[in-house]
Amino acid sequence: MAKVHIGNLVEIRHWIVPDESISDKGKWVTVDRFQNVNTTALISYSGGTYKFLSFIYKGATRTRTGDNIEASLLVTTNQISMDKAYDIVIIENTSKQHHVKRQVIVRTCLMDNNFTAVQRVLTEEKWIGASMSYDAEVVEIQLASAVDAVFAGLPNMYLDEVTVGRLPTTARVRTS
């Protein structure tokens, strides 16, 4: 029987606007990278180095209707994990909402036998930190797709013909 070595790489990015302008021109800047497969060594992938963090990634799920796509990251409860979770999901209430976008990229990877190198990326998913909850043992960070995570802290996400194609002009649409 062959063993399959699978792990997750998580990249946390913030949208940075270089000046105090109200424009949305900026770039994504990676603030943290974590992996859950090798406790003794860093893993390098695509120019980045991933530190070990004990977490469980509960992959994408959706409702029967196909909306509300979500996933979650589970980490143990301590001050460091609480601070990271807070940083991912909390949007400061400022007038410059475009300065505080967050993104979480999760890559599920096929690893080598020693869990030291990525052989192939099986899936890559981009999420927005939607909410968090915690108890004495675990912190759960709820991740949602950018379209499903529409709220005041996620500006400039519109469904239009340029981004998704032809849109219905009536609410009386049925699919078979």
Side-chain angles (χ1 to χ4, degrees):
M1 178 192 321
K3 291 184 181 179
V4 178
H5 301 90
I6 295 179
N8 298 109
L9 305 179
V10 172
E11 182 176 348
I12 301 166
R13 304 189 323 170
H14 290 196
W15 182 256
I16 303 296
V17 176
D19 56 21
E20 293 298 318
S21 70
I22 60 171
S23 74
D24 200 33
K25 295 183 180 171
K27 64 179 180 175
W28 287 109
V29 175
T30 300
V31 293
D32 277 314
R33 289 184 179 100
F34 299 108
Q35 48 90 9
N36 65 351
V37 295
N38 193 325
T39 60
T40 59
L42 301 175
I43 294 178
S44 295
Y45 173 75
S46 188
T49 303
Y50 292 78
K51 305 174 278 190
F52 177 76
L53 176 67
S54 178
F55 68 87
I56 297 172
Y57 174 61
K58 291 172 47 176
T61 58
R62 65 183 177 117
T63 62
R64 289 184 306 148
T65 58
D67 57 351
N68 295 326
I69 299 172
E70 61 181 31
S72 61
L73 292 172
L74 302 170
V75 294
T76 58
T77 301
N78 59 48
Q79 190 61 49
I80 295 170
S81 62
M82 293 286 288
D83 290 345
K84 292 295 180 190
Y86 184 85
D87 186 51
I88 291 170
V89 301
I90 299 300
I91 301 296
E92 294 87 11
N93 190 11
T94 67
S95 62
K96 295 180 173 56
Q97 291 293 323
H98 63 284
H99 288 265
V100 292
K101 295 183 208 176
R102 299 332 193 251
Q103 184 180 61
V104 178
I105 300 173
V106 180
R107 294 177 181 94
T108 301
C109 303
L110 182 63
M111 306 298 292
D112 67 356
N113 290 340
N114 298 323
F115 292 101
T116 56
V118 174
Q119 289 185 332
R120 185 170 47 142
V121 174
L122 301 173
T123 64
E124 179 178 300
E125 299 158 346
K126 293 183 180 177
W127 302 101
I128 301 296
S131 66
M132 65 179 268
S133 61
Y134 63 93
D135 58 24
E137 296 174 0
V138 69
V139 176
E140 181 173 10
I141 304 164
Q142 289 289 333
L143 306 171
S145 70
V147 173
D148 290 328
V150 175
F151 59 97
L154 187 66
N156 302 326
M157 293 297 295
Y158 302 102
L159 295 178
D160 58 19
E161 288 187 18
V162 174
T163 56
V164 296
R166 292 191 53 159
L167 294 171
T169 57
T170 178
R172 302 182 83 176
V173 176
R174 291 188 180 153
T175 58
S176 305

